[in-house]
Short mmCIF file of all heavy atoms in Angstrom, two decimals:
data_model
loop_
_atom_site.label_atom_id
_atom_site.label_comp_id
_atom_site.label_asym_id
_atom_site.label_seq_id
_atom_site.Cartn_x
_atom_site.Cartn_y
_atom_site.Cartn_z
N LEU R 240 0.81 -1.21 0.00
CA LEU R 240 0.00 0.00 0.00
C LEU R 240 0.85 1.26 0.00
O LEU R 240 0.57 2.21 -0.74
CB LEU R 240 -0.92 0.02 1.23
CG LEU R 240 -1.97 -1.09 1.33
CD1 LEU R 240 -2.78 -0.92 2.60
CD2 LEU R 240 -2.88 -1.07 0.11
N SER R 241 1.87 1.29 0.84
CA SER R 241 2.74 2.46 0.89
C SER R 241 4.01 2.11 1.66
O SER R 241 4.05 1.12 2.40
CB SER R 241 2.02 3.63 1.57
OG SER R 241 2.71 4.85 1.34
N ALA R 242 5.03 2.94 1.47
CA ALA R 242 6.30 2.71 2.16
C ALA R 242 7.03 4.03 2.31
O ALA R 242 6.85 4.95 1.50
CB ALA R 242 7.16 1.70 1.40
N TRP R 243 7.87 4.11 3.32
CA TRP R 243 8.61 5.33 3.63
C TRP R 243 10.02 4.96 4.09
O TRP R 243 10.26 3.84 4.56
CB TRP R 243 7.94 6.10 4.77
CG TRP R 243 6.48 6.36 4.58
CD1 TRP R 243 5.88 7.49 4.10
CD2 TRP R 243 5.40 5.45 4.87
NE1 TRP R 243 4.52 7.35 4.08
CE2 TRP R 243 4.19 6.11 4.53
CE3 TRP R 243 5.34 4.14 5.37
CZ2 TRP R 243 2.94 5.52 4.69
CZ3 TRP R 243 4.10 3.54 5.52
CH2 TRP R 243 2.91 4.22 5.19
N VAL R 244 10.94 5.90 3.97
CA VAL R 244 12.28 5.71 4.50
C VAL R 244 12.72 7.02 5.13
O VAL R 244 12.40 8.10 4.63
CB VAL R 244 13.27 5.25 3.41
CG1 VAL R 244 13.46 6.30 2.34
CG2 VAL R 244 14.61 4.86 4.02
N ALA R 245 13.42 6.92 6.26
CA ALA R 245 13.86 8.13 6.96
C ALA R 245 15.22 7.87 7.60
O ALA R 245 15.58 6.73 7.91
CB ALA R 245 12.85 8.52 8.04
N ARG R 246 15.96 8.96 7.80
CA ARG R 246 17.23 8.86 8.49
C ARG R 246 17.20 9.71 9.75
O ARG R 246 16.49 10.72 9.82
CB ARG R 246 18.40 9.30 7.61
CG ARG R 246 18.35 10.70 7.09
CD ARG R 246 19.68 11.14 6.50
NE ARG R 246 20.69 11.39 7.53
CZ ARG R 246 21.95 11.73 7.28
NH1 ARG R 246 22.36 11.83 6.02
NH2 ARG R 246 22.79 11.95 8.24
N SER R 247 17.95 9.29 10.71
CA SER R 247 18.03 10.03 11.96
C SER R 247 18.99 11.21 11.81
O SER R 247 19.67 11.35 10.79
CB SER R 247 18.57 9.11 13.06
OG SER R 247 19.95 8.84 12.82
N ILE R 248 19.08 12.00 12.84
CA ILE R 248 20.12 13.01 12.92
C ILE R 248 21.45 12.28 13.08
O ILE R 248 21.50 11.14 13.53
CB ILE R 248 19.86 13.97 14.10
CG1 ILE R 248 20.70 15.23 13.96
CG2 ILE R 248 20.09 13.27 15.43
CD1 ILE R 248 20.28 16.34 14.91
N THR R 249 22.53 12.91 12.67
CA THR R 249 23.84 12.26 12.72
C THR R 249 24.44 12.35 14.12
O THR R 249 24.45 13.40 14.75
CB THR R 249 24.81 12.90 11.71
OG1 THR R 249 24.27 12.75 10.40
CG2 THR R 249 26.18 12.23 11.78
N GLY R 250 24.94 11.22 14.58
CA GLY R 250 25.67 11.16 15.84
C GLY R 250 27.06 10.60 15.56
O GLY R 250 27.61 10.83 14.48
N ALA R 251 27.61 9.88 16.50
CA ALA R 251 28.94 9.31 16.33
C ALA R 251 29.03 7.99 17.08
O ALA R 251 28.23 7.71 17.97
CB ALA R 251 30.00 10.28 16.85
N ILE R 252 30.01 7.19 16.69
CA ILE R 252 30.29 5.97 17.42
C ILE R 252 31.21 6.34 18.58
O ILE R 252 32.28 6.91 18.38
CB ILE R 252 30.97 4.91 16.52
CG1 ILE R 252 30.07 4.59 15.32
CG2 ILE R 252 31.25 3.65 17.33
CD1 ILE R 252 28.69 4.08 15.66
N ALA R 253 30.78 6.03 19.79
CA ALA R 253 31.54 6.39 20.99
C ALA R 253 32.85 5.60 21.05
O ALA R 253 33.08 4.66 20.29
CB ALA R 253 30.71 6.11 22.24
N PHE R 254 33.71 5.99 21.98
CA PHE R 254 34.98 5.29 22.17
C PHE R 254 34.87 4.22 23.25
O PHE R 254 35.79 3.42 23.43
CB PHE R 254 36.10 6.28 22.53
CG PHE R 254 36.58 7.07 21.34
CD1 PHE R 254 36.04 8.32 21.07
CD2 PHE R 254 37.54 6.56 20.48
CE1 PHE R 254 36.47 9.06 19.98
CE2 PHE R 254 37.98 7.29 19.38
CZ PHE R 254 37.44 8.54 19.13
N GLN R 255 33.77 4.23 23.98
CA GLN R 255 33.56 3.18 24.96
C GLN R 255 32.08 2.84 25.04
O GLN R 255 31.22 3.65 24.70
CB GLN R 255 34.07 3.60 26.34
CG GLN R 255 33.40 4.83 26.93
CD GLN R 255 34.03 5.23 28.25
OE1 GLN R 255 35.18 4.91 28.53
NE2 GLN R 255 33.28 5.96 29.07
N VAL R 256 31.79 1.64 25.49
CA VAL R 256 30.41 1.14 25.55
C VAL R 256 29.71 1.70 26.78
O VAL R 256 30.28 1.77 27.86
CB VAL R 256 30.40 -0.40 25.60
CG1 VAL R 256 28.97 -0.92 25.74
CG2 VAL R 256 31.06 -0.98 24.36
N ASN R 257 28.48 2.12 26.59
CA ASN R 257 27.64 2.54 27.71
C ASN R 257 27.12 1.29 28.41
O ASN R 257 26.19 0.65 27.93
CB ASN R 257 26.47 3.39 27.21
CG ASN R 257 25.54 3.82 28.33
OD1 ASN R 257 25.90 3.74 29.51
ND2 ASN R 257 24.35 4.26 27.96
N GLU R 258 27.71 0.95 29.53
CA GLU R 258 27.33 -0.27 30.24
C GLU R 258 25.97 -0.14 30.91
O GLU R 258 25.40 -1.13 31.36
CB GLU R 258 28.39 -0.61 31.30
CG GLU R 258 29.78 -0.82 30.73
CD GLU R 258 29.88 -2.03 29.82
OE1 GLU R 258 28.94 -2.84 29.80
OE2 GLU R 258 30.92 -2.17 29.13
N ARG R 259 25.45 1.09 30.98
CA ARG R 259 24.14 1.31 31.60
C ARG R 259 23.07 1.57 30.54
O ARG R 259 22.15 2.34 30.76
CB ARG R 259 24.21 2.47 32.59
CG ARG R 259 25.09 2.17 33.80
CD ARG R 259 25.14 3.34 34.76
NE ARG R 259 25.84 4.49 34.18
CZ ARG R 259 25.98 5.66 34.80
NH1 ARG R 259 25.47 5.85 35.99
NH2 ARG R 259 26.64 6.65 34.21
N ASN R 260 23.22 0.94 29.41
CA ASN R 260 22.27 1.06 28.31
C ASN R 260 20.88 0.66 28.81
O ASN R 260 20.66 -0.49 29.20
CB ASN R 260 22.71 0.15 27.16
CG ASN R 260 21.76 0.20 25.98
OD1 ASN R 260 20.81 0.97 25.94
ND2 ASN R 260 22.02 -0.64 24.99
N PRO R 261 19.91 1.59 28.82
CA PRO R 261 18.57 1.27 29.34
C PRO R 261 17.77 0.32 28.45
O PRO R 261 16.77 -0.23 28.89
CB PRO R 261 17.90 2.64 29.43
CG PRO R 261 18.58 3.46 28.37
CD PRO R 261 20.01 2.99 28.38
N ARG R 262 18.19 0.15 27.20
CA ARG R 262 17.49 -0.75 26.29
C ARG R 262 18.52 -1.65 25.61
O ARG R 262 18.83 -1.51 24.44
CB ARG R 262 16.71 0.06 25.26
CG ARG R 262 15.57 0.86 25.86
CD ARG R 262 15.10 1.97 24.94
NE ARG R 262 14.59 1.47 23.67
CZ ARG R 262 14.26 2.26 22.65
NH1 ARG R 262 14.40 3.56 22.75
NH2 ARG R 262 13.81 1.75 21.53
N PRO R 263 19.07 -2.59 26.37
CA PRO R 263 20.17 -3.43 25.85
C PRO R 263 19.79 -4.30 24.66
O PRO R 263 20.67 -4.74 23.91
CB PRO R 263 20.55 -4.29 27.06
CG PRO R 263 19.33 -4.31 27.93
CD PRO R 263 18.71 -2.95 27.76
N GLU R 264 18.47 -4.55 24.44
CA GLU R 264 18.07 -5.37 23.29
C GLU R 264 18.48 -4.70 21.99
O GLU R 264 18.77 -5.36 21.00
CB GLU R 264 16.55 -5.60 23.31
CG GLU R 264 16.03 -6.30 24.55
CD GLU R 264 15.70 -5.32 25.66
OE1 GLU R 264 15.97 -4.11 25.49
OE2 GLU R 264 15.18 -5.75 26.70
N PHE R 265 18.48 -3.35 22.00
CA PHE R 265 18.91 -2.59 20.82
C PHE R 265 20.36 -2.21 21.10
O PHE R 265 20.66 -1.15 21.64
CB PHE R 265 18.03 -1.35 20.65
CG PHE R 265 18.37 -0.51 19.45
CD1 PHE R 265 18.64 -1.08 18.22
CD2 PHE R 265 18.42 0.87 19.56
CE1 PHE R 265 18.95 -0.30 17.12
CE2 PHE R 265 18.72 1.67 18.46
CZ PHE R 265 18.98 1.08 17.24
N TRP R 266 21.28 -3.06 20.71
CA TRP R 266 22.66 -2.94 21.16
C TRP R 266 23.36 -1.67 20.66
O TRP R 266 24.30 -1.18 21.28
CB TRP R 266 23.47 -4.17 20.77
CG TRP R 266 23.63 -4.44 19.31
CD1 TRP R 266 22.83 -5.21 18.52
CD2 TRP R 266 24.68 -3.96 18.45
NE1 TRP R 266 23.31 -5.24 17.23
CE2 TRP R 266 24.45 -4.48 17.16
CE3 TRP R 266 25.80 -3.15 18.66
CZ2 TRP R 266 25.28 -4.21 16.08
CZ3 TRP R 266 26.63 -2.87 17.59
CH2 TRP R 266 26.37 -3.40 16.31
N VAL R 267 22.88 -1.10 19.55
CA VAL R 267 23.48 0.14 19.04
C VAL R 267 23.35 1.27 20.05
O VAL R 267 24.15 2.20 20.08
CB VAL R 267 22.85 0.51 17.68
CG1 VAL R 267 23.31 1.88 17.20
CG2 VAL R 267 23.21 -0.54 16.63
N ASN R 268 22.32 1.21 20.90
CA ASN R 268 22.15 2.21 21.95
C ASN R 268 23.40 2.39 22.79
O ASN R 268 23.65 3.46 23.34
CB ASN R 268 21.01 1.81 22.89
CG ASN R 268 19.64 2.21 22.37
OD1 ASN R 268 19.54 2.95 21.41
ND2 ASN R 268 18.60 1.73 23.00
N GLY R 269 24.15 1.32 22.93
CA GLY R 269 25.31 1.34 23.81
C GLY R 269 26.54 2.00 23.23
O GLY R 269 27.54 2.21 23.95
N ILE R 270 26.49 2.38 21.94
CA ILE R 270 27.68 3.00 21.32
C ILE R 270 27.36 4.21 20.46
O ILE R 270 28.26 4.96 20.08
CB ILE R 270 28.45 1.98 20.45
CG1 ILE R 270 27.51 1.30 19.46
CG2 ILE R 270 29.19 0.98 21.32
CD1 ILE R 270 28.21 0.43 18.45
N TRP R 271 26.08 4.43 20.14
CA TRP R 271 25.69 5.57 19.31
C TRP R 271 25.58 6.78 20.22
O TRP R 271 24.78 6.80 21.16
CB TRP R 271 24.37 5.27 18.62
CG TRP R 271 24.00 6.24 17.55
CD1 TRP R 271 24.81 7.14 16.92
CD2 TRP R 271 22.69 6.39 16.99
NE1 TRP R 271 24.08 7.85 15.99
CE2 TRP R 271 22.79 7.41 16.01
CE3 TRP R 271 21.47 5.76 17.20
CZ2 TRP R 271 21.69 7.82 15.26
CZ3 TRP R 271 20.38 6.17 16.46
CH2 TRP R 271 20.49 7.19 15.50
#
């Protein structure tokens, strides 16, 4: 029926992992 594509604002890959990632299932949260 329809489709869309979008991009987020640009961030960066961190130099260390966020060990307190509140949503660990989405692992990119820990480094974006």
Side-chain angles (χ1 to χ4, degrees):
L240 297 180
S241 194
W243 309 263
V244 64
R246 60 167 286 177
S247 71
I248 196 167
T249 300
I252 302 302
F254 284 94
Q255 61 184 23
V256 177
N257 178 16
E258 301 295 348
R259 294 180 292 178
N260 180 5
R262 293 162 62 188
E264 301 88 355
F265 181 44
W266 63 269
V267 172
N268 276 350
I270 52 172
W271 191 17

